Amino acid sequence: MSDLSASRFRQPVAPDKAYRLLNHGPTVLVSAAHGGRRNIMAAAWAMPLDFKPGKVAVVIDKSTYTRTLLEASGHFALQVPTVALADLTETLGSTSGKTMMEDEGIDKFAAYGLDVFAGTATDAPLIEGCVGWLECRLYPEPYIQQTYDLFLGEILAAQSDTRVFSNGRWHFDGHDALRTIHHVAGGHFITAGAALDATALQRRK
């Protein structure tokens, strides 16, 4: 599904800058693994919470297989897909990994030919073709998990594709296929647009 040569652009992100991979509100892919099983799904509602240490929040429905693996392992990964992966993102968000395993004996990674690589801090599988990867440790919060489907995690390690994210900044010019995607509803996405630097206004006297 992706160009493996792109892996040469993958570099670690400083822990205190990792939250910026999510600060603009992209759709993410959530992956987890436990007991020899693995799964990946799409999630539209994910956000950073802090930067020292980096923390994240993501909403994961009770019906998902990824949630089962995440709760069992205590770890998960958030990955930031691109325009080039929009169709795959929609597919991963609308298919059941559990059903696939029960009916066909294969997981989503095998079914869709995903190129996987190992992270540095967790066993959650990471896929090529994204432009940001965050490996996280679950903060167990049973009440909010059960009541609101909300999961909190500490960022243990992060990486980015330096063609579009480096020095703590996104810079998509010249790489339209690598722009991040933002789910609206019903398979409709918008993409990250132009960058704009603002200057604080001076108070009138």
Side-chain angles (χ1 to χ4, degrees):
M1 300 298 302
S2 61
D3 180 3
L4 287 175
S5 65
S7 63
R8 71 182 186 276
F9 297 107
R10 194 170 63 240
Q11 294 294 330
V13 175
D16 63 341
K17 298 292 192 298
Y19 75 96
R20 297 185 182 184
L21 292 169
L22 301 180
N23 220 26
H24 62 309
T27 293
V28 297
L29 300 177
V30 187
S31 62
H34 180 71
R37 297 294 180 94
R38 58 186 183 173
N39 200 52
I40 188 167
M41 59 171 278
W45 297 339
M47 61 176 286
L49 290 178
D50 202 350
F51 55 91
K52 286 187 177 181
K55 301 183 185 72
V56 298
V58 59
V59 174
I60 305 175
D61 189 80
K62 293 177 177 64
S63 65
T64 64
Y65 189 39
T66 301
R67 175 166 168 165
T68 299
L69 299 175
L70 184 163
E71 291 180 314
S73 68
H75 294 92
F76 62 97
L78 303 182
Q79 298 155 83
V80 184
T82 66
V83 169
L85 296 182
D87 289 344
L88 175 65
T89 300
E90 175 65 14
T91 300
L92 295 178
S94 58
T95 55
S96 168
K98 183 177 181 180
T99 299
M100 198 173 290
M101 284 296 300
E102 291 174 347
D103 294 347
E104 305 174 48
I106 59 174
D107 60 26
K108 291 183 184 181
F109 299 89
Y112 300 112
L114 306 186
D115 296 317
V116 180
F117 67 96
T120 61
T122 73
D123 290 330
L126 308 179
I127 67 167
E128 298 282 0
C130 291
V131 288
W133 302 263
L134 301 94
E135 297 178 72
C136 304
R137 176 174 59 222
L138 176 67
Y139 283 129
E141 294 285 353
Y143 178 77
I144 63 171
Q145 289 168 201
Q146 290 300 315
T147 306
Y148 304 112
D149 295 332
L150 182 64
F151 288 77
L152 309 181
E154 178 185 351
I155 303 170
L156 301 178
Q159 301 178 67
S160 72
D161 185 320
T162 56
R163 290 173 293 180
V164 292
F165 184 94
S166 59
N167 299 317
R169 294 283 185 97
W170 287 106
H171 40 82
F172 294 108
D173 288 351
H175 298 285
D176 285 346
L178 297 181
R179 291 182 183 274
T180 57
I181 56 178
H182 308 253
H183 189 249
V184 180
H188 179 68
F189 295 82
I190 59 175
T191 65
L196 173 67
D197 290 322
T199 301
L201 299 175
Q202 297 297 314
R203 294 180 60 186
R204 293 181 180 180
K205 297 182 178 179

